[in-house]
Amino acid sequence: MSPLASLRDVSVRLADAKVLESINLTLQAGELVGVVGPNGAGKTTLLRTVLGLVRPQTGEATLGGLAMAGLSEPARSRLAAYLPQDRRVAWSLPAWRVAALGALDRAPAVARRDALAAMERVGLAHLAERGVLDMSGGERARVLLARLLVTRAPLLVADEPAAGLDPDAQFLALELLQSESRQGRGAVVTLHDLGLAARVCDRLVVLDQGRIVAQGPPREALRSEILAEVFGLEGQLQDSPAGLVLAARRRAISNA
């Protein structure tokens, strides 16, 4: 089976600065992949490269098994759907209509049905008719998540889908993406919360200064030496009744 997306020996420069270097990444159906790393590590650029929004200077990128360079924008949008980190909305529309923008390829009645179902999944069915500009930032973020879920793209790409959400809504957002992957789609997300990433993701990709420094199941990707070297933390992942948790503290800074 062809991967949903792949990057092979990809390097990216933006404004004459190298942002990604020698990236090798494959995204498959059936898994939720988390991309973690310090601020400025290149996480958003990595997602945008997967989507074809950023063109690499070297290496090969594919989407749906096809060379990215030969895909039109509509073709890319059918293969991958994107939830950007910027949650600003310019449309003065009821929330369900914003969600339905992910279903523009469907008959109006079907798009409405699918949008309302997605609004229920994100816990906002009772606000379906409210203007999206009259919502809180967290509610608006969940409407945009509903729009992502409504699409039929096999790959879901979400940049910080938990940002700005209450703790329960953070878990809901990641559990919904996890559920989509269990049903045969694939999902890749960026996250800052390492504990949340370890608990919900099947695989983690650790970026540091534009390079992948670790990749694999959470316990392998966030081993103690990676936590120390990349994040400046002393600690480790531990088992708990709720799943993996991160037991860590800031690494002491020597004055020597």
Side-chain angles (χ1 to χ4, degrees):
M1 181 184 299
S2 296
L4 298 179
S6 70
L7 303 177
R8 190 171 74 176
D9 296 325
V10 160
S11 295
V12 172
R13 297 184 70 90
L14 298 175
D16 294 326
K18 185 166 284 188
V19 182
L20 298 176
E21 186 172 359
S22 302
I23 297 295
N24 289 283
L25 176 65
T26 299
L27 301 173
Q28 300 281 3
E31 64 173 354
L32 172 59
V33 176
V35 180
V36 298
N39 289 333
K43 299 185 295 296
T44 294
T45 300
L46 177 61
L47 294 193
R48 290 174 60 82
T49 304
V50 166
L51 291 159
L53 299 175
V54 171
R55 181 163 295 183
Q57 276 66 53
T58 62
E60 298 178 358
T62 68
L63 192 60
L66 303 171
M68 191 76 75
L71 291 173
S72 65
E73 183 176 346
R76 295 199 311 267
S77 69
R78 287 191 292 271
L79 294 168
Y82 185 35
L83 176 64
Q85 190 174 143
D86 187 350
R87 305 292 193 262
R88 287 177 295 181
V89 174
W91 315 295
S92 181
L93 294 172
W96 77 264
R97 288 192 177 275
V98 173
L101 293 174
L104 292 178
D105 57 338
R106 276 155 261 178
V110 176
R112 176 183 169 85
R113 180 201 66 197
D114 293 348
L116 291 175
M119 290 287 291
E120 183 169 5
R121 292 183 71 192
V122 301
L124 292 179
H126 61 296
L127 298 180
E129 296 291 345
R130 178 174 294 183
V132 73
L133 297 181
D134 297 324
M135 292 180 151
S136 70
E139 290 168 342
R140 195 175 303 125
R142 287 153 69 187
V143 172
L144 296 177
L145 175 61
R147 184 184 64 169
L148 182 76
L149 296 174
V150 163
T151 71
R152 290 176 175 162
L155 178 62
L156 302 179
V157 180
D159 197 356
E160 289 292 336
L165 298 179
D166 294 334
D168 62 331
Q170 291 181 7
F171 278 108
L172 174 63
L174 272 296
E175 287 170 355
L176 287 171
L177 292 170
Q178 185 184 64
S179 174
E180 291 299 305
S181 70
R182 297 294 182 267
Q183 295 177 51
R185 299 168 98 175
V188 58
V189 302
T190 60
L191 293 166
H192 278 292
D193 187 327
L194 300 180
L196 180 61
R199 189 173 301 183
V200 301
C201 294
D202 301 301
R203 176 161 56 103
L204 295 181
V205 176
V206 182
L207 273 182
D208 189 28
Q209 299 182 56
R211 287 181 171 270
I212 294 178
V213 297
Q215 184 173 180
R219 199 184 296 276
E220 176 184 327
L222 294 181
R223 55 192 185 274
S224 296
E225 56 267 33
I226 293 295
L227 290 173
E229 293 169 10
V230 177
F231 300 100
L233 298 174
E234 291 181 345
Q236 60 185 351
L237 291 176
Q238 297 179 351
D239 291 307
S240 79
L244 286 176
V245 296
L246 178 64
R249 63 180 182 180
R250 288 182 62 244
R251 187 175 55 184
I253 299 176
S254 172
N255 292 321

